């Protein structure tokens, strides 16, 4: 998967409700016009076009040439993943605020998507109900051990992603896989 490690400017640009949704939709569904994105995200084409240009100026999306598309402008994501480290933005309170906003957005999206699955799960096949779910582990680790484990998980996820792309199955669906690792804060388990 292609990845961008966000610069301070990029993270500030991305920390916007419509921009993050636009980039997510382009990553999920592939290239699209501003009109199609506006319809999918229930917004107007003018706002969508403006924010796509902001994302393009930051190097996160680009216009795609499509022969025969006339005046339609197609946009596509330049990367499949965005990453950052909180320590990448010393002395930049706006970038630090953007990190806070993006992490909060991610958490809220995870909760929203897990709750959406929970509501439809009873109508899903037994096979999907059995494999979909949540889990947690409590580990005692040093920061470098957690970093190593996260790198191992990313390699494992990429291997399985590539395998699934190479062997498409008729019952395949897009699957969200979340994981997070952080020390207990506040009350201990």
């Amino acid at each position: 998967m292609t990845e961008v490690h966000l610069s301070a400017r990029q993270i500030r640009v991305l920390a916007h409700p419509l921009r993050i949704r636009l980039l997510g939709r382009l990553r999920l569904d592939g290239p699209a016009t501003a009109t199609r994105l506006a319809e999918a995200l229930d917004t107007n084409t003018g706002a969508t076009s403006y924010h796509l240009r902001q994302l393009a100026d930051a190097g996160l999306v680009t216009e795609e040439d499509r022969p025969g598309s006339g005046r339609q402008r197609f946009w596509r994501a330049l990367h499949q993943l965005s990453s950052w480290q909180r320590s990448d933005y010393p002395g930049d309170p706006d970038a630090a605020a953007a990190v806070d906003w993006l992490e909060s957005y991610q958490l809220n999206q995870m909760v929203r998507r897990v709750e959406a699955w929970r509501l439809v799960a009873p109508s899903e096949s037994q096979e999907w109900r059995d494999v979909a779910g949540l889990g947690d582990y409590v580990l005692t680790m040093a920061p470098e051990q957690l970093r190593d484990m996260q790198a191992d998980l990313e390699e494992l996820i990429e291997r399985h992603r590539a395998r699934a792309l190479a062997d498409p199955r008729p019952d395949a669906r897009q699957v969200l896989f979340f994981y997070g690792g952080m020390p207990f804060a506040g009350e201990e388990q």
Side-chain angles (χ1 to χ4, degrees):
M1 294 182 78
T2 57
E3 181 176 350
V4 59
H5 192 80
L6 297 175
S7 69
R9 180 170 183 272
Q10 287 173 319
I11 203 159
R12 287 191 305 267
V13 167
L14 189 55
H16 182 280
L18 183 53
R19 291 180 197 153
I20 189 86
R21 292 172 61 220
L22 288 166
L23 182 59
R25 183 61 66 148
L26 290 172
R27 285 177 173 170
L28 190 62
D29 297 335
T33 64
T35 301
R36 189 165 51 172
L37 289 164
E39 289 169 1
L41 299 175
D42 195 29
T43 187
N44 69 65
T45 304
T48 301
S49 294
Y50 170 80
H51 290 292
L52 284 166
R53 288 191 304 274
Q54 296 299 306
L55 290 166
D57 287 345
L60 298 170
V61 303
T62 189
E63 280 189 69
E64 186 175 85
D65 288 329
R66 290 201 168 187
S69 62
R71 294 182 55 203
Q72 289 186 321
R73 295 166 64 175
F74 281 81
W75 297 87
R76 70 174 172 82
L78 284 170
H79 316 91
Q80 295 166 306
L81 286 172
S82 298
S83 66
W84 62 84
Q85 296 292 321
R86 190 169 279 280
S87 61
D88 289 340
Y89 316 107
D92 188 337
D94 292 335
V99 168
D100 289 340
W101 187 89
L102 284 167
E103 289 178 352
S104 178
Y105 179 85
Q106 284 181 311
L107 179 61
N108 289 325
Q109 286 296 94
M110 182 180 75
V111 169
R112 185 183 67 77
R113 289 173 174 161
V114 169
E115 186 64 21
W117 166 256
R118 193 186 66 73
L119 292 173
V120 301
S123 64
E124 292 287 342
S125 71
Q126 183 69 42
E127 186 175 22
W128 277 111
R129 287 194 316 265
D130 287 347
V131 297
L134 299 171
D136 58 55
Y137 298 88
V138 177
L139 309 168
T140 302
M141 306 178 100
E144 66 274 3
Q145 291 170 314
L146 179 57
R147 189 177 305 112
D148 289 346
M149 185 177 76
Q150 289 171 330
D152 290 346
L153 286 170
E154 288 172 5
E155 287 176 22
L156 178 67
I157 292 165
E158 177 54 25
R159 189 169 65 241
H160 283 274
R161 186 191 73 81
R163 219 181 269 162
L165 287 173
D167 182 19
R169 306 275 174 94
D171 61 342
R173 296 167 67 175
Q174 289 180 324
V175 173
L176 295 167
F177 184 80
F178 296 103
Y179 76 88
M182 62 215 65
F184 277 106
E187 67 181 69
E188 293 292 320
Q189 182 84 336

